[in-house]
Amino acid sequence: MNRKTFAYLLYSSAIVSFVILFIGFILAVWDLTHPSKSSALAAKKQIPTPQAQEGLFVGLGDSLTRGVGDSKGLGYFGLVREQLAKKNPGRISAVNLAINGQTSTDLVKQIQQEKVRILIAKARWITITIGGNDLFRGSGGLEKLDLKAAKKSREIYEKNLTTLFTEIRKLNSKATVFLFGLYNPFGDLADEKISSQLVAEWNETMQKVSARFNQIVVIPTFDLFQLEPGKYLYSDHFHPNDAGYQRMATRLLQVLEDTEEGEESHDQ
Amino acid sequence: MFNLVYNEYFKLIRKKRMFVITLILLVLIPIFTYAQYKTAKNAMEQLGTSDWRAILQQQIVDQQNRLSSSRLAPEWKERIRLNIKQQQYYLDHDINPTAPGAPTFMREFIEGAISLFLPLLVVVLAADLVSSEHSGGTIKLLLTRPVPRWKILLSKYFALLLGISLMLLITAILGYLISGVIFGYKGWNIPVLTGFQMQKEHLITDYVHIVPQWKYLLMAFGLAWFSSIAVGTISFMASVLLRSTASSMGAMLAAVVAGSLLTQIAPNWNELRYIAFINLGLTDYLAGNPILVEGMNLPFSLAVLSVWSLIAIIIAFIAFTRRDVTT
């Protein structure tokens, strides 16, 4: 390229970019000073509806499903999700709907929400941790266990659990539901015998209610934390720690494998 | 007049300043590209999975969770909703948002460069425009021509405006070509959120909307162009007032750097906002970044920059036309 055409090119490209940048500047000022809501509405149209997922893993319940106490923030739910995603790359999606501090009464309210219902209906697996907050709050706290109050809150819990499972089955008759049993975080405290007995009663209630429905699996956790609670509990002495969640995840994965293989052979 | 501008423009180019700027960009853009690539890679490693679809899905779900919370302020809800929409778009169109291509790099680059890096380049370009005629001794040749002085200065100014435009064009082209080697050349149509407004302490999301990235880039570069011109105009005045290249360039560099330092050191000092160099980050309004100094918005910043530029150009013209050339 000779010098003159190069010079001409530089000159004209400067003029062109001057004009384009000026237009860009005017556009920006116009866009920012004449805001309209219409463009947001127009943009809505080009967003298609979410596609149906092949394997939806839904978590419900309290802080245990949220993963409180796990240094990585995964919890058993996150760990299981990772395993599932590894085995079925691109085909698994997971939704964690658990809320910290939720009691069974809160959960029954939560599943009335439209979005939650849609997700439950689409789910292939539903995992739940619920009851810990009912038990240890409804029984007068950790120091003095009020047996009468505990009995009353267990009755409420039984009713809520029945409502919960009825609703889930109404929305989704196929999904396998996993309900984690309770463990006793106070196993190394003075009132160990009483608290353990309470937890056992509640676990029995879980079994009893679950047995009335199809495809609901109660996964025990009592034994996991029984002998060495300090090793598997987080420093708040209530939630599991990394190792505790790992144990829970292993249990869930063991049972999950059955349903997966069952599904796959069913497909063939 | 046209010939004069043409002439001055080529003086500007021939001084090798533009070449130096291109070289600076050629060195820095690969570094920035690599830095961004590193960040994206780190993020991926931290999440433990390379399947960004799963990550996105979880992010959407987490945000939907937050939406269902009754404790959330309504203005945040709208913002989250738009975020979800954006992420759902990525998912539906199979766009990986962590490695989304050269246009996104350009956007981040211009947003980061607008308040310090670009102004510095502009200063390099503009600060010796007139003073070099003094130090080179060519000022006499220039002024003995049968052209009024204001015309000479005006043509120099126009040449500067063209030079700044060319500089931004080079920045855009180099940014696109170099970062595309790693990030790929796609992504012009990715939706970008804009329209956030600040009112006192609150973020107003009423007018948030989605624009395609090419349009956003056009707007961001337009704003960068405006603030570059403001810096260029003030540097232009400095080059008229101060006769040595070193002092005009030094003064302008100090002013630009001080402006960006002050915003970070003393965001509570409200009167700062009347200083031009505080108002250079115009793309912050586009992106909805929080503005550190209270009471600043786009019209305000544009007004401050315009007033400073206007005063600078008036001073420059008065000084230039009245000056006795003795050297």
Side-chain angles (χ1 to χ4, degrees):
Chain A
M1 203 190 308
N2 76 45
R3 220 185 154 88
K4 208 169 178 184
T5 43
F6 185 65
Y8 181 74
L9 197 78
L10 271 183
Y11 192 54
S12 48
S13 60
I15 291 175
V16 169
S17 55
F18 182 92
V19 173
I20 291 174
L21 289 164
F22 180 71
I23 293 171
F25 172 69
I26 296 296
L27 254 177
V29 173
W30 181 264
D31 198 81
L32 285 169
T33 51
H34 294 76
S36 67
K37 290 192 172 185
S38 57
S39 42
L41 290 173
K44 247 176 213 165
K45 278 179 214 156
Q46 67 183 43
I47 310 290
T49 48
Q51 302 143 328
Q53 295 297 330
E54 269 200 66
L56 180 63
F57 181 47
V58 171
L60 291 172
D62 53 25
S63 48
L64 263 68
T65 303
R66 261 280 146 227
V68 174
D70 184 353
S71 60
K72 290 194 252 11
L74 288 171
Y76 81 86
F77 186 86
L79 294 168
V80 170
R81 188 195 66 201
E82 276 184 356
Q83 285 299 319
L84 282 176
K86 217 179 271 175
K87 268 191 209 161
N88 312 282
R91 295 198 306 155
I92 298 296
S93 60
V95 184
N96 194 342
L97 298 172
I99 297 169
N100 290 345
Q102 188 153 256
T103 63
S104 62
T105 314
D106 299 329
L107 181 56
V108 167
K109 265 186 221 146
Q110 194 197 4
I111 59 161
Q112 300 302 324
Q113 291 172 16
E114 197 52 43
K115 250 186 201 141
V116 178
R117 294 177 82 87
I118 292 171
L119 285 168
I120 290 177
K122 277 197 212 152
R124 190 155 130 205
W125 306 285
I126 300 171
T127 165
I128 308 172
T129 56
I130 198 75
N133 293 309
D134 297 60
L135 170 58
F136 293 108
R137 258 187 232 160
S139 320
L142 345 169
E143 275 75 40
K144 40 175 186 159
L145 291 165
D146 182 346
L147 291 178
K148 238 184 215 165
K151 190 168 181 247
K152 212 176 146 200
S153 53
R154 183 159 56 95
E155 276 159 10
I156 298 171
Y157 178 68
E158 185 172 351
K159 216 180 79 202
N160 283 335
L161 210 56
T162 314
T163 318
L164 179 68
F165 288 155
T166 317
E167 286 290 319
I168 289 177
R169 276 291 161 253
K170 221 197 293 173
L171 294 166
N172 187 335
S173 54
K174 278 190 216 150
T176 318
V177 179
F178 305 96
L179 176 67
F180 274 99
L182 299 178
Y183 57 87
N184 185 9
F186 311 118
D188 51 359
L189 294 184
D191 281 339
E192 193 252 317
K193 286 278 171 299
I194 308 172
S195 54
S196 285
Q197 195 200 329
L198 266 178
V199 172
E201 280 172 13
W202 281 62
N203 281 336
E204 209 176 295
T205 309
M206 283 185 183
Q207 292 282 6
K208 207 169 67 188
V209 176
S210 306
R212 286 187 229 135
F213 297 88
N214 292 324
Q215 288 272 101
I216 292 186
V217 185
V218 177
I219 301 174
T221 58
F222 190 89
D223 54 333
L224 295 180
F225 300 93
Q226 191 176 5
L227 292 178
E228 282 201 73
K231 202 169 160 191
Y232 298 104
L233 287 182
Y234 182 55
S235 51
D236 65 359
H237 221 281
F238 190 77
H239 295 104
N241 61 13
D242 296 24
Y245 279 123
Q246 188 58 59
R247 286 188 142 192
M248 288 172 74
T250 310
R251 285 238 158 129
L252 178 53
L253 278 167
Q254 283 166 352
V255 198
L256 248 171
E257 263 168 23
D258 299 342
T259 71
E260 247 180 299
E261 276 156 23
E263 285 269 326
E264 264 159 29
S265 60
H266 190 75
D267 288 342
Q268 280 160 10
Chain B
M1 186 72 204
F2 186 79
N3 273 332
L4 275 175
V5 175
Y6 187 80
N7 203 17
E8 289 298 337
Y9 176 71
F10 277 102
K11 274 200 214 158
L12 186 73
I13 303 282
R14 223 175 292 141
K15 260 187 306 188
K16 299 233 165 82
R17 284 285 138 79
M18 198 59 88
F19 181 68
V20 170
I21 286 171
T22 312
L23 266 184
I24 294 175
L25 288 169
L26 270 176
V27 173
L28 284 178
I29 289 175
I31 295 175
F32 285 130
T33 306
Y34 183 72
Q36 196 142 62
Y37 167 73
K38 233 13 206 180
T39 320
K41 216 176 139 201
N42 270 353
M44 209 173 259
E45 273 166 12
Q46 248 170 21
L47 284 160
T49 167
S50 60
D51 186 13
W52 55 270
R53 289 175 196 85
I55 297 166
L56 254 191
Q57 183 77 55
Q58 180 64 46
Q59 277 172 353
I60 292 174
V61 160
D62 282 346
Q63 292 187 83
Q64 281 169 344
N65 269 340
R66 287 180 63 195
L67 271 184
S68 60
S69 156
S70 54
R71 284 167 293 184
L72 206 64
E75 59 261 33
W76 279 107
K77 278 197 179 174
E78 187 51 36
R79 189 170 195 182
I80 290 174
R81 231 170 263 145
L82 281 162
N83 250 332
I84 294 176
K85 218 192 270 175
Q86 198 180 16
Q87 288 175 330
Q88 190 66 53
Y89 181 94
Y90 290 142
L91 206 57
D92 293 338
H93 289 79
D94 222 29
I95 303 162
N96 183 351
T98 49
T104 308
F105 174 83
M106 282 163 77
R107 174 163 61 88
E108 277 162 14
F109 184 74
I110 196 77
E111 281 173 4
I114 189 170
S115 52
L116 192 58
F117 185 59
L118 281 181
L120 290 180
L121 293 185
V122 171
V123 169
V124 170
L125 199 66
D128 71 334
L129 212 55
V130 180
S131 56
S132 68
E133 304 269 4
H134 279 282
S135 33
T138 47
I139 187 83
K140 283 179 191 164
L141 284 175
L142 194 68
L143 295 181
T144 46
R145 281 198 285 182
V147 185
R149 280 188 183 188
W150 65 266
K151 250 188 176 172
I152 291 173
L153 196 64
L154 192 65
S155 55
K156 268 191 182 298
Y157 185 63
F158 281 155
L160 174 64
L161 296 188
L162 289 178
I164 290 173
S165 308
L166 184 70
M167 186 193 87
L168 281 166
L169 181 75
I170 292 173
T171 310
I173 291 175
L174 287 183
Y176 182 65
L177 291 181
I178 295 174
S179 67
V181 173
I182 286 185
F183 296 128
Y185 293 100
K186 282 184 197 158
W188 290 103
N189 286 320
I190 288 180
V192 182
L193 293 182
T194 182
F196 297 99
Q197 294 187 328
M198 293 285 282
Q199 226 165 58
K200 286 183 184 158
E201 297 270 290
H202 298 286
L203 187 73
I204 313 277
T205 50
D206 288 2
Y207 302 111
V208 171
H209 53 273
I210 290 171
V211 294
Q213 183 145 265
W214 62 265
K215 194 179 167 194
Y216 187 96
L217 270 174
L218 187 62
M219 296 197 289
F221 271 88
L223 292 173
W225 176 74
F226 188 84
S227 70
S228 296
I229 283 179
V231 174
T233 308
I234 299 168
S235 312
F236 187 66
M237 176 189 74
S239 82
V240 173
L241 295 181
L242 304 165
R243 297 195 180 188
S244 93
T245 303
S247 54
S248 60
M249 200 176 281
M252 283 311 296
L253 290 179
V256 169
V257 172
S260 105
L261 270 179
L262 275 173
T263 11
Q264 283 161 34
I265 294 172
N268 294 325
W269 183 13
N270 244 325
E271 283 68 35
L272 273 184
R273 62 196 163 125
Y274 296 107
I275 299 174
F277 302 110
I278 302 289
N279 288 286
L280 294 176
L282 296 177
T283 47
D284 284 349
Y285 304 117
L286 207 58
N289 294 340
I291 308 296
L292 284 173
V293 182
E294 205 185 304
M296 278 169 53
N297 54 35
L298 183 74
F300 177 84
S301 291
L302 291 182
V304 169
L305 291 177
S306 307
V307 168
W308 275 72
S309 303
L310 210 65
I311 292 173
I313 204 111
I314 289 170
I315 292 175
F317 270 87
I318 292 174
F320 191 73
T321 47
R322 291 199 179 162
R323 165 178 298 164
D324 289 327
V325 179
T326 49
T327 36

